[in-house]
Amino acid sequence: GEGEPLEIRETDLSVKAARNRYRLFTESTMAANEALNQTFPFNMINASGSIEEVRQVVMQELSYQSSLELQEDTYNAIKAIPTAAELSKGARQRLVARLDSYQKLHPDIFAMVIQAIQDEFLPVIRRHALVGEARICTRHADIFSLPGALDMAVDVMYDRGFCLRAEDRGQAGGGFNFKITYETPHLRVAAASSDIYPGAPGRLGQPETPTLPSPESKGRNSE
């Protein structure tokens, strides 16, 4: 063998003690490892082999992990750009603050933007409700050209669950193009949970067929 003999532990002899030790590992150590893995990715290493085998596995894992990390110079060059998680942190609070500021500081423009959304966006969205995307060439270029109007439209639509992208066509084309995307309903789930298929004791969407009396039964009944 290799190394020095280790003291025999209770978990080496008792199945009950071994199970309890494994339970404590899964409830405490494993949970902490999984939480840590969300921030610092790593892999668990099986250390049941020989010392040399475990050493090789550790070296391979370290080599792999180092290949995932940027060099210090590279990291320093790009670290000024925030990550998506950093940008999205607190995004809801900032959205609410902007909407409240529109209503407080620019109520007239804000009201015109909301009215344009109701008059122009909503009818198109309703026609494409199952598609998940609607495109609009606005007739209200004068409204959306006002200071802050495009930002207002983007924020209002996002608060309502839509993603709005605006494209300024400039003086040549005039006006703006809008692309609106949103989640679509799951039709099968919606149909299964609704009452649009009444009278269906068995298959969904197949109403029960009434049973007509046979000629023989008619004859017996008339007797």
Side-chain angles (χ1 to χ4, degrees):
E2 299 180 6
E4 298 179 358
L6 299 176
E7 180 183 356
I8 296 178
R9 300 166 299 181
E10 183 182 1
T11 53
D12 296 329
L13 304 176
S14 171
V15 174
K16 181 179 180 181
R19 287 177 176 173
N20 185 58
R21 181 181 179 185
Y22 182 73
R23 179 183 61 81
L24 293 175
F25 170 76
T26 56
E27 292 178 356
S28 56
T29 307
M30 178 59 75
N33 288 339
E34 291 177 347
L36 182 64
N37 198 20
Q38 300 297 320
T39 305
F40 304 100
F42 62 87
N43 294 326
M44 301 291 290
I45 294 177
N46 185 355
S48 61
S50 66
I51 294 178
E52 181 59 29
E53 289 173 344
V54 174
R55 188 184 72 83
Q56 291 294 333
V57 173
V58 171
M59 296 303 297
Q60 292 175 4
E61 182 63 24
L62 290 175
S63 176
Y64 172 73
Q65 291 292 340
S66 64
S67 69
L68 302 179
E69 299 295 332
L70 294 172
Q71 295 292 329
E72 183 177 0
D73 292 343
T74 307
Y75 174 76
N76 290 334
I78 67 174
K79 69 178 182 180
I81 301 176
T83 63
E86 292 171 343
L87 287 176
S88 59
K89 185 178 181 180
R92 175 62 188 175
Q93 289 84 349
R94 293 192 294 272
L95 173 64
V96 170
R98 290 195 302 270
L99 290 171
D100 287 341
S101 69
Y102 299 151
Q103 178 62 31
K104 182 179 181 179
L105 302 178
H106 310 285
D108 295 338
I109 298 178
F110 194 41
M112 288 189 288
V113 169
I114 294 173
Q115 191 63 50
I117 291 174
Q118 292 176 326
D119 294 343
E120 192 168 44
F121 289 16
L122 295 187
V124 179
I125 293 173
R126 289 192 178 99
R127 285 197 297 270
H128 300 82
L130 300 180
V131 179
E133 179 179 314
R135 296 176 182 269
I136 299 170
C137 180
T138 181
R139 303 185 305 274
H140 297 89
D142 54 333
I143 295 177
F144 292 110
S145 297
L146 295 173
L150 284 179
D151 292 336
M152 294 178 184
V154 171
D155 286 343
V156 168
M157 296 299 288
Y158 190 83
D159 182 74
R160 300 291 88 188
F162 301 93
C163 181
L164 176 67
R165 295 177 177 86
E167 176 187 355
D168 187 353
R169 291 181 294 167
Q171 296 180 353
F176 299 89
N177 286 334
F178 293 102
K179 178 181 178 182
I180 304 171
T181 56
Y182 44 90
E183 292 186 3
T184 56
H186 300 285
L187 295 183
R188 292 183 181 274
V189 176
S193 60
S194 67
D195 295 326
I196 59 176
Y197 298 114
R203 284 184 165 181
L204 181 66
Q206 294 186 357
E208 183 178 7
T209 303
T211 303
L212 299 177
S214 63
E216 292 80 0
S217 64
K218 282 184 176 181
R220 288 195 295 269
N221 292 335
S222 64
E223 294 175 0

